[in-house]
């Protein structure tokens, strides 16, 4: 099976390595941007060796650490332009949620309608947007696996579970089943539940780490009150959408994730540090829109969103210090 991966960030590279180990899968990277636009700014083009303009080689290395040694696995893959999607049996899109719409628009015209696409990214609302752009069958994925990349090297950051499912509750097709086996994923018949749990975690951790520019562990250690303020507001909204886990267990899970990924920088914290657009609109923004539709007031969440959105729009990183309570921040501005 030919699998095209659009998005060569940490998760995209991790998936590439997983798929390379399967005798039944041939993965390639695909970049839908024009080379002239991407040169000097795209991670892929910075790290590849120039060959034919329509075909670029790409080296990536995975380092695994255990108690005794470091195991390094190096692979060379190929990077193709967007037209190459027509030769694939399945497409994985692992870009940021705020980039997904543009990627899908760029595939119009040469992506056959029967090819399934798997959307694997943080946030919600992406599937609803995607199905208005392309008629292809869409599957969504949620992963708790962690990884970071520095140059050509990918560093796994803790074990986790990946779920793949159909928002329309379709029966898994052969390509999805093979993908799941190859990357060790679980096919979920209730993918919305997994998405809502991931959204809850992302909403309580990522924006606060972006605001304070701190590691995930600080959520449980220093900023637990801020995280709890957000949690108390958004939990009823997500419960209305179908979240079934109890409130106590849900917040305990948020803290557990923060502690397990303690040394990690959240993706949003990294985006704000590097002054680039984040998934804010698909995490807090999605929850705020849902709350408005349900006539639920979310003042603390809205305040945090407003602070971060203003900074994001001006491409300024968040301040390194901020009030201890988000409610205090809100009052100071009134």
């Amino acid at each position: 099976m030919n699998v095209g991966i659009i998005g060569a960030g940490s998760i995209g590279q991790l998936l590439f390595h997983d798929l390379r180990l399967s005798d039944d899968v041939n993965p390639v990277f695909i970049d839908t941007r024009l080379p002239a636009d991407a040169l000097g700014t795209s991670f892929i083009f910075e790290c590849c060796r120039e060959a034919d303009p329509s075909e670029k080689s790409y080296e990536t290395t995975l380092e695994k650490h255990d108690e005794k040694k470091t195991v390094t696995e190096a692979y060379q893959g190929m990077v193709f332009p967007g037209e190459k999607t027509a030769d694939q049996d399945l497409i994985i899109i692992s870009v940021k949620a705020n980039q997904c719409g543009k990627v899908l628009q760029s595939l119009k015209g040469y992506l056959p309608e029967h090819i399934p696409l798997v959307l694997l990214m943080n946030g919600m609302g992406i599937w609803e947007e995607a199905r208005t752009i392309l008629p292809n069958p869409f599957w969504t994925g949620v992963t708790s696996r962690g990884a970071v990349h520095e140059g050509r090297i990918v560093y796994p950051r803790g074990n986790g579970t990946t779920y793949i499912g159909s928002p329309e509750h379709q029966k898994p097709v052969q390509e999805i089943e093979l993908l799941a086996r190859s990357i060790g994923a679980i096919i979920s018949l209730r993918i919305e539940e997994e998405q809502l749990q991931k959204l809850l975690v992302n909403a309580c951790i990522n924006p606060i780490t972006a605001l304070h520019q701190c590691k995930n562990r600080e959520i449980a250690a220093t900023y637990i009150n801020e995280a709890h303020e957000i949690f108390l507001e958004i939990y009823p909204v997500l419960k209305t959408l179908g979240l079934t886990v109890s409130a106590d267990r849900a917040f305990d899970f948020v803290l557990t994730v923060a502690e397990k990924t303690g040394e990690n920088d959240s993706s949003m914290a990294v985006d704000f540090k590097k002054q680039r657009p984040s998934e804010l609109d698909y995490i807090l923004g999605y929850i705020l829109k849902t709350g408005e539709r349900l006539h639920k007031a979310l003042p603390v969440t809205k305040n945090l969103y407003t602070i971060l959105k203003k900074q994001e729009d001006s491409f300024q990183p968040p301040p390194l210090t901020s009030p201890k309570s988000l409610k205090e921040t809100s009052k100071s501005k009134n």
Side-chain angles (χ1 to χ4, degrees):
M1 179 173 72
N2 294 324
V3 176
I5 302 174
I6 301 178
S10 302
I11 296 299
Q13 292 184 50
L14 202 58
L15 292 173
F16 174 81
H17 284 283
D18 288 344
L19 294 173
R20 287 283 299 191
L21 298 177
S22 173
D23 295 331
D24 301 316
V25 179
N26 175 41
V28 297
F29 285 110
I30 293 175
D31 196 317
T32 59
R33 297 163 295 188
L34 294 173
D37 296 335
L39 277 175
T41 59
S42 166
F43 171 72
I44 292 176
F45 284 89
E46 286 179 352
C47 293
C48 75
R49 293 198 302 271
E50 291 289 349
D52 185 282
S54 64
E55 185 174 298
K56 298 178 181 294
S57 60
Y58 177 62
E59 292 183 349
T60 178
T61 301
L62 177 69
E63 285 202 0
K64 302 176 181 178
H65 298 270
D66 60 26
E67 295 180 356
K68 297 181 180 180
K69 61 182 179 179
T70 297
V71 180
T72 300
E73 300 172 359
Y75 295 114
Q76 180 174 324
M78 304 305 298
V79 181
F80 296 92
E83 288 83 354
K84 190 68 174 179
T85 54
D87 299 331
Q88 308 306 308
D89 299 301
L90 180 144
I91 302 293
I92 299 172
I93 301 181
S94 57
V95 300
K96 295 290 181 66
N98 55 295
Q99 301 168 336
C100 187
K102 186 176 181 180
V103 167
L104 294 175
Q105 289 285 355
S106 70
L107 297 179
K108 278 185 170 181
Y110 50 76
L111 179 67
E113 296 183 4
H114 71 277
I115 296 179
L117 294 96
V118 177
L119 307 176
L120 186 61
M121 58 202 71
N122 289 335
M124 289 187 69
I126 306 104
W127 171 71
E128 292 85 348
E129 179 182 337
R131 64 195 300 229
T132 67
I133 301 173
L134 291 175
N136 298 63
F138 282 98
W139 296 72
T140 55
V142 176
T143 186
S144 57
R145 299 175 70 184
V148 296
H149 73 257
E150 297 176 6
R152 300 179 182 181
I153 303 177
V154 187
Y155 300 93
R157 287 291 186 264
N159 296 322
T161 305
T162 300
Y163 296 92
I164 299 174
S166 166
E168 296 179 302
H169 306 288
Q170 298 177 12
K171 182 179 179 180
V173 294
Q174 182 178 353
E175 292 84 358
I176 294 296
E177 291 178 338
L178 179 53
L179 173 66
R181 289 198 301 270
S182 300
I183 64 174
I186 297 172
I187 296 178
S188 174
L189 300 179
R190 287 183 50 82
I191 193 64
E192 301 91 343
E193 176 76 15
E194 308 300 339
Q195 288 181 298
L196 289 170
Q197 288 193 38
K198 182 68 182 292
L199 181 64
L200 179 68
V201 171
N202 286 155
C204 291
I205 295 178
N206 294 21
I208 296 174
T209 59
L211 180 69
H212 296 286
Q213 283 297 289
C214 64
K215 299 285 186 182
N216 288 356
R217 66 170 180 269
E218 294 300 322
I219 295 297
T222 307
Y223 302 112
I224 188 171
N225 290 336
E226 291 187 14
H228 197 240
E229 287 176 353
I230 295 296
F231 173 85
L232 290 176
E233 280 195 351
I234 68 175
Y235 175 80
V237 173
L238 300 187
K239 189 173 180 62
T240 300
L241 293 180
L243 185 66
T244 59
V245 64
S246 68
D248 289 342
R249 288 186 60 190
F251 191 64
D252 285 345
F253 183 62
V254 170
L255 299 182
T256 297
V257 171
E259 291 167 350
K260 280 189 174 182
T261 61
E263 292 303 312
N264 294 4
D265 296 302
S266 76
S267 58
M268 193 178 294
V270 173
D271 286 337
F272 271 77
K273 182 178 181 179
K274 295 185 177 182
Q275 299 186 29
R276 63 192 185 196
S278 72
E279 298 163 314
L280 181 65
D281 285 335
Y282 292 88
I283 297 178
L284 290 189
Y286 176 83
I287 295 171
L288 286 170
K289 287 180 180 179
T290 304
E292 184 177 353
R293 177 169 57 84
L294 297 173
H295 305 290
K296 292 181 181 291
L298 308 174
V300 177
T301 305
K302 185 174 182 178
N303 183 60
L304 177 57
Y305 172 85
T306 302
I307 293 170
L308 291 174
K309 189 63 177 176
K310 183 177 180 180
Q311 293 171 350
E312 184 179 81
D313 287 345
S314 62
F315 296 100
Q316 294 295 322
L320 296 179
T321 59
S322 58
K324 293 182 180 180
S325 170
L326 295 171
K327 290 179 179 176
E328 291 175 8
T329 306
S330 179
K331 291 178 182 178
S332 68
K333 290 182 175 290
N334 292 334

